[in-house]
Amino acid sequence: DIQLTQSPSSVSASVGDRVTITCRASQDISRTLAWYRQIPGKAPNLLIYEASSLRIGVPSRFSGSGSGTDFTLTISSLQPEDFATYHCQQSNVSPLTFGGGTRVEIK
Amino acid sequence: EVQLVESGGGLVQPGGSLRLSCAASGFTFSSYWMTWVRQAPGKGLEWVANIMQDGSEKYYVDSVKGRFTISRDNAKNSLYLQMNSLRAEDTAVYYCVGAPNRYYFDYWGQGILVTVSS
């Protein structure tokens, strides 16, 4: 199975801050990576697919980059609703797998 | 508005069975891959199983193969997960998820808790 390692596991930030989260795959997955935001007590919500494609309706402050084994999710200006856990997910090889999650907390 | 509503969760003893259901509305159910994703308490997400639009292809994570069965009824806009021989490690919130392809997860239900404990 492909392992996805997210870092950091948690980060403290303030509204308006720029936040960057990384996801490293245990083998080359091309650009078959998605990012999800999960607000506490809620279901995850798809933000980005194919490493950098923004899902329709997702604010432009979210962006993704990377290919191969190293990927990045950037939130350009953190908003109150962005204090949540972020998950990466690969779809290159079955079984589909997720990273361990990165929790973005209020500083 | 897209809605996915899970039901059928609860407390079950180890070795027992449970059947989860998911009622879909607000999109063309028969055109979507459907998936079950679970999340153990305080843990990350785990893909469990998915099923093709017409039900002809089904895939499972190794840990549930032979114990869980995914199915769908397009006439009823419903997805199911039959869970047998349940173990403590199956304890999780189970999410019903829909997407136009098998690779990413667009629409999520609110989740249903399954607790396996004696």
Side-chain angles (χ1 to χ4, degrees):
Chain A
D1 298 1
I2 292 179
Q3 311 299 320
L4 297 178
T5 302
Q6 290 184 234
S7 60
S9 57
S10 67
V11 57
S12 294
S14 302
V15 172
D17 283 354
R18 181 183 183 90
V19 172
T20 298
I21 298 168
T22 64
C23 179
R24 175 163 288 176
S26 58
Q27 65 187 70
D28 189 336
I29 58 169
S30 186
R31 294 178 56 81
T32 59
L33 190 97
W35 291 96
Y36 300 83
R37 176 180 67 179
Q38 185 174 26
I39 294 169
K42 302 291 187 182
N45 182 47
L46 177 65
L47 300 173
I48 287 169
Y49 61 98
E50 292 296 321
S52 61
S53 295
L54 199 65
R55 185 191 183 194
I56 294 173
V58 173
S60 58
R61 64 180 181 272
F62 292 96
S63 63
S65 64
S67 66
T69 60
D70 293 309
F71 301 86
T72 299
L73 172 70
T74 299
I75 310 170
S76 60
S77 177
L78 208 60
Q79 297 303 299
E81 60 269 30
D82 299 333
F83 292 97
T85 298
Y86 292 82
H87 307 271
C88 59
Q89 173 246 321
Q90 67 82 22
S91 59
N92 192 64
V93 174
S94 184
L96 307 181
T97 51
F98 292 86
T102 294
R103 186 174 176 186
V104 177
E105 302 172 318
I106 300 174
K107 183 183 287 184
Chain B
E1 180 192 3
V2 171
Q3 279 201 315
L4 293 166
V5 180
E6 301 95 338
S7 60
L11 175 64
V12 62
Q13 292 189 339
S17 298
L18 217 51
R19 188 193 195 209
L20 302 183
S21 299
C22 172
S25 61
F27 66 103
T28 307
F29 180 77
S30 60
S31 297
Y32 276 62
W33 276 85
M34 295 301 296
T35 300
W36 290 98
V37 173
R38 67 184 178 184
Q39 186 171 33
K43 302 296 184 181
L45 299 166
E46 181 182 38
W47 167 79
V48 175
N50 58 10
I51 184 168
M52 195 174 179
Q53 287 89 335
D54 63 359
S56 61
E57 294 183 22
K58 305 175 185 181
Y59 302 92
Y60 301 90
V61 68
D62 282 350
S63 61
V64 308
K65 281 181 183 175
R67 300 189 299 124
F68 290 12
T69 302
I70 189 171
S71 62
R72 65 192 295 162
D73 185 337
N74 287 344
K76 295 182 178 179
N77 286 349
S78 293
L79 176 72
Y80 307 99
L81 186 67
Q82 178 66 44
M83 303 186 294
N84 299 329
S85 303
L86 283 161
R87 306 166 179 167
E89 54 265 34
D90 296 319
T91 294
V93 172
Y94 284 73
Y95 293 101
C96 168
V97 186
N101 58 62
R102 59 179 288 195
Y103 304 112
Y104 303 118
F105 308 126
D106 279 293
Y107 303 135
W108 295 68
Q110 83 285 356
I112 189 94
L113 178 62
V114 171
T115 303
V116 184
S117 175
S118 55

